[in-house]
Structure formats: C-alpha cells, structure tokens
Amino acid sequence: MTSWPKGVRSVVKTGASREIVAAYPYRNACPTSVWGRLIDVAERDLTFAGYTNYFIWQEHQKIADRLRAKAASGAAVRFLVGDPESRVTKDREEVEGVPLTVGTRIRITLDALSRLQDEPGVSARHSDAHIALSVFTFDDDMLVTPHLSSLLGHESPMLHLRRLGPDGLFDRFAGHVDALWKGGRPVEF
C-alpha cells in the first residue's frame, strides 16, 4: 500500500478529521452568521444542549419566532439545560464568580422557553451532566464547545462538525446528547 505524499496529507483531511468543517479558538469567534445559517437551513433537528443556552436568545434576532416556525414545519426543537437550583450550578457559579450567574442565565432561557412550551415539536429537559460540554445540532451540522476549566462558555474553543458517515465525531457527540436527553427530566414551567 502506498501512502499519500506528505504535501497532500497536510491539505487533504482523512479519517475522523474529515468531519471537522472549522475550528474556532473561542465560541464567540464563530460568526453569528454561521449560527444563523445553520438554524435557518435545519429541517429535522435543532438541539441546543448548552448548559445555559443564554447567548442563543441574546445573539439571534427573532429566534423564538424562527424556532416556532421550525417546529411548525415538523422539526424537533430540543433544549437541554442545567437546573438553576442544582449543586452543579451553584458550584459552577463559585468557579466563574461573575455577576450574571449561571442560574440567572439558565432562568433567562427557561423564561424564553416558557413562551414556546405549547408549541408541538419544542421540548426541554434538565441535565447537569453536560456542564463541561455544549453540543448544538442542526440536522447534519453540529457546533461543539468543550468548556475549559474556569473559563466562560464564550471563551472556550468550538468545533463545527458535519456528519459524513456512521460512527464519526458527529455521531459520537450526538450519542452523548441522546444519552443525556434520555436521562434528563422534563422542564416544568
């Protein structure tokens, strides 16, 4: 078997790295237009598995209306959020030490979701098991943020993944979110 020349290997992605569309050193280095395009083109699945999901409501114009329209057209819109009263949340607040606390950021998301609670296709669950990893899925595209130590979410790196086949990076993270979703508990409004 012949291997590819080093010059070709350095520019052509092979293996699992083929699913990496882009890498950003900070979540907020990813242009809002990328998020907007992914939200707008998704037709089947929009999953927001960030611990607070706070920034979604702050950075995307008319996001509630856009998500409502997605759900009305048959897409599953899921939010996996932390519990604002949990020990995990309280511990994280001590680590971050910022005025806009984790619990407050979760409550902002819960308030926004309460206005969508009667929409068929929109659902929300609590989980504290994803405090260190945010995964946002838009059909076959995914944005993943592994949270670094005491940094806030927007200060952590982010990967843009695109599913190319079974058991790749995309499927591994999607399986993680599915397990958290199954183990989560419904949000009570």
Side-chain angles (χ1 to χ4, degrees):
M1 178 171 135
T2 15
S3 67
W4 289 9
K6 184 179 178 181
V8 172
R9 285 193 317 264
S10 68
V11 234
V12 176
K13 293 180 186 178
T14 60
S17 67
R18 291 181 25 226
E19 289 193 327
I20 300 172
V21 175
Y24 302 94
Y26 305 93
R27 186 189 70 208
N28 64 357
C30 176
T32 307
S33 60
V34 170
W35 286 87
R37 183 182 56 75
L38 294 176
I39 290 167
D40 290 340
V41 301
E43 296 176 346
R44 302 179 316 274
D45 170 46
L46 294 92
T47 299
F48 299 87
Y51 199 74
T52 71
N53 293 301
Y54 160 76
F55 70 97
I56 299 294
W57 311 101
Q58 306 304 306
E59 296 177 5
H60 298 281
Q61 201 171 34
K62 298 186 180 202
I63 189 66
D65 293 339
R66 291 159 68 194
L67 295 176
R68 187 177 285 113
K70 290 291 175 182
S73 68
V77 178
R78 302 184 305 169
F79 278 83
L80 190 64
V81 297
D83 181 337
E85 301 301 327
S86 77
R87 182 77 251 153
V88 171
T89 297
K90 301 298 182 201
D91 290 347
R92 185 63 193 177
E93 288 175 346
E94 287 181 29
V95 169
E96 290 184 1
V98 296
L100 187 58
T101 66
V102 176
T104 299
R105 295 191 311 258
I106 293 170
R107 284 184 194 89
I108 288 169
T109 291
L110 294 174
D111 179 63
L113 287 172
S114 72
R115 291 179 230 138
L116 296 172
Q117 70 177 321
D118 295 328
E119 296 294 328
V122 177
S123 51
R125 291 186 177 217
H126 286 295
S127 170
D128 288 329
H130 68 299
I131 184 82
L133 179 70
S134 296
V135 179
F136 307 94
T137 307
F138 311 95
D139 291 346
D140 291 329
D141 280 277
M142 179 181 283
L143 300 172
V144 178
T145 299
H147 297 274
L148 303 179
S149 65
S150 62
L151 299 178
L152 298 175
H154 68 272
E155 298 172 315
S156 293
M158 190 178 78
L159 298 173
H160 178 179
L161 306 177
R162 182 164 299 127
R163 186 177 193 280
L164 297 178
D167 204 30
L169 290 172
F170 183 102
D171 281 358
R172 305 262 337 261
F173 284 114
H176 171 72
V177 171
D178 287 344
L180 292 174
W181 186 262
K182 288 176 186 160
R185 59 193 189 288
V187 168
E188 304 280 332
F189 292 104

